[in-house]
Amino acid sequence: MINLEQYGYIPTIPVPEGLIPGRITDHHGSHYTIITAQGEVSAVLKGTYYHNAELREDFPCIGDFVHILYNDSGPSLISALLPRKTMFSRADFSGHAIGYVKTVLEQVVAANFDYVFIMTSLNYDFNISRIIRYITQAHQSRGQPVVILTKADLADDYGSLVRSVEKAAPDVPVHAVSAHTGYGLDALSKYFQPGKTIVFLGMSGVGKSSLLNVLMEQEVMTVKAIRDDDSRGRHTTTHRQLFMLPSGAMVIDTPGMRELGLFDVDYGLSAGFADIEELTTQCRFSDCRHQTEPKCAIRAALNDGSLSYEHWERYQAMKRESKFVDDKSGYLREKRDFGKSIAVWNKQRKKKA
Ligand code: GDP
Ligand code: ZN
């Protein structure tokens, strides 16, 4: 038996007869993985859930606590979402949206965390105004922000960078660390306390996975406990987005957090991609996708080695992540379509009922 309180569960709401509480550790679309006293189970939303959930934010996400109807021979059914202590939702452009559209904009990507690790690397992508925006977002989530400056081993003198964060945000703790050398990690142990949940926020490449791997190193115990469980068929995936660390704390590292839409439109320049931005202006076609188009300056530079693949891939990753900012109208359209499809499901289900 697993004690769910070790997963941060606080039994404030009575659990209805026949249901059990659980915490969501992973989900892909409507398929959820949930940790419960019975171990890890697969679950889907109960049919009536669609009747009652009007908004996208009513749907469970990583870190949520739920009540489920446990089923030991197939997927369990999620019947209720418990109130959230903290949450991050994806880019909310509500200033531009009205009524119905505004309500479907929020998509919650992580919930019930204690600390928000705002991660940025000390070498190339240090940007104080972005850190400040992340801090604002963390406060809005009701989580406690902690600034983590990564790759300290690569920075000669990062003292002035640490001080610039401290000066701009006096109430927020700042830590310089290195996942490679282990430098500074001891100071983080005060956050990694049993039952606490930390969410990683930061662009790809800043070292989130590396830090998680270091923290998970002695993770054998938890992994073993899950494998020992008799329910081999139940957990169909080993993929997780909420990780239990050996210290008893949990980390949420979900791709959703990388797409919060917090990024500067001009981030490409500030992060040291000016060379690439310059090259793209030399392609023959202004809308060149740098794939099969003739006279593409990017492909030419990759071929003659004057542009490294690594640098180019990094740039593309950055572009993908800032898409939510660059393409607001496309983003709104996607959200609106999602809202419509929920409305359609609801209608169809109501008809059937
Ligand atoms: P993520 O995309 O945020 O998960 O970043 P990763 O953990 O995948 O790291 C991206 C790159 O940065 C990899 O090449 C890592 O080896 C490197 N990296 C991560 N942490 C450190 C560090 O502390 N020091 C150095 N020198 N490199 C690091
Ligand atoms: Zn091109």
Side-chain angles (χ1 to χ4, degrees):
M1 285 289 266
I2 286 166
N3 177 357
L4 200 59
E5 288 175 35
Q6 289 171 351
Y7 280 80
Y9 175 65
I10 301 170
T12 44
I13 292 183
V15 184
E17 187 72 35
L19 302 183
I20 59 169
R23 187 170 201 193
I24 294 174
T25 57
D26 192 25
H27 86 100
H28 294 278
S30 53
H31 293 271
Y32 290 88
T33 307
I34 303 181
I35 186 82
T36 71
Q38 312 294 322
E40 206 166 60
V41 302
S42 299
V44 295
L45 295 167
K46 201 175 157 200
T48 52
Y49 202 104
Y50 293 93
H51 287 287
N52 305 329
E54 303 261 297
L55 309 179
R56 201 169 180 173
E57 68 180 52
D58 295 335
F59 288 85
C61 70
I62 307 297
D64 266 326
F65 292 104
V66 289
H67 286 160
I68 68 171
L69 184 63
Y70 176 70
N71 177 355
D72 62 6
S73 60
S76 298
L77 296 176
I78 300 174
S79 73
L81 172 67
L82 303 190
R84 290 166 173 143
K85 179 172 73 175
T86 55
M87 63 171 154
F88 258 115
S89 33
R90 226 179 242 185
D92 174 14
F93 301 118
S94 51
H96 305 270
I98 43 160
Y100 173 66
V101 175
K102 178 172 175 178
T103 62
V104 298
L105 271 179
E106 299 268 313
Q107 186 198 3
V108 180
V109 292
N112 301 313
F113 43 84
D114 298 279
Y115 300 106
V116 180
F117 273 21
I118 295 165
M119 298 178 63
T120 190
S121 80
L122 277 165
N123 55 336
Y124 72 95
D125 79 339
F126 187 87
N127 175 326
I128 190 82
S129 60
R130 182 151 33 89
I131 294 174
I132 300 305
R133 266 201 316 285
Y134 278 137
I135 291 174
T136 307
Q137 293 266 337
H139 280 137
Q140 285 166 354
S141 77
R142 295 174 179 277
Q144 198 177 318
V146 179
V147 173
I148 306 292
L149 303 175
T150 60
K151 309 190 191 181
D153 56 297
L154 294 181
D156 290 334
D157 174 28
Y158 55 79
S160 63
L161 299 181
V162 170
R163 279 190 296 279
S164 67
V165 179
E166 285 170 345
K167 202 166 150 229
D171 300 331
V172 179
V174 185
H175 301 275
V177 305
S178 167
H180 282 192
T181 67
Y183 174 83
L185 297 182
D186 283 350
L188 303 185
S189 58
K190 64 178 166 213
Y191 309 110
F192 292 102
Q193 295 294 317
K196 296 287 182 195
T197 303
I198 294 98
V199 68
F200 285 1
L201 177 53
M203 303 201 58
S204 108
V206 300
K208 295 182 296 296
S209 313
S210 303
L211 180 59
L212 182 59
N213 288 341
V214 169
L215 295 165
M216 291 286 283
E217 205 131 52
Q218 308 141 51
E219 170 56 343
V220 214
M221 291 267 288
T222 310
V223 172
K224 194 162 169 289
I226 290 166
R227 296 247 169 85
D228 274 348
D229 194 291
D230 62 348
S231 57
R232 278 166 68 201
R234 268 191 259 140
H235 33 86
T236 49
T237 169
T238 52
H239 187 253
R240 301 253 179 328
Q241 299 185 65
L242 183 148
F243 302 83
M244 175 58 84
L245 304 181
S247 71
M250 288 149 282
V251 167
I252 294 178
D253 181 23
T254 153
M257 292 296 293
R258 302 177 182 198
E259 300 165 352
L260 284 172
L262 302 171
F263 312 115
D264 300 330
V265 183
D266 63 354
Y267 178 68
L269 298 171
S270 63
F273 295 112
D275 51 342
I276 292 182
E277 304 255 313
E278 166 61 25
L279 268 178
T280 61
T281 66
Q282 294 169 19
C283 294
R284 175 190 284 181
F285 300 107
S286 60
D287 61 349
C288 185
R289 288 167 303 135
H290 323 301
Q291 286 164 9
T292 53
E293 292 84 351
K295 295 244 159 42
C296 169
I298 295 288
R299 280 206 332 284
L302 287 170
N303 285 336
D304 72 19
S306 58
L307 171 62
S308 84
Y309 274 97
E310 200 199 343
H311 191 48
W312 172 238
E313 274 168 13
R314 220 172 250 300
Y315 174 79
Q316 287 175 299
M318 180 279 297
K319 274 292 197 196
R320 276 194 296 279
E321 290 177 351
S322 55
K323 184 176 129 224
F324 292 90
V325 173
D326 287 351
D327 183 20
K328 274 185 196 168
S329 55
Y331 185 86
L332 288 172
R333 218 176 308 119
E334 268 176 37
K335 289 289 164 288
R336 208 158 40 226
D337 291 347
F338 185 89
K340 275 185 195 153
S341 61
I342 292 180
V344 171
W345 289 338
N346 278 337
K347 271 208 191 107
Q348 285 171 346
R349 280 165 185 280
K350 275 177 189 148
K351 254 189 209 154
K352 271 190 212 151

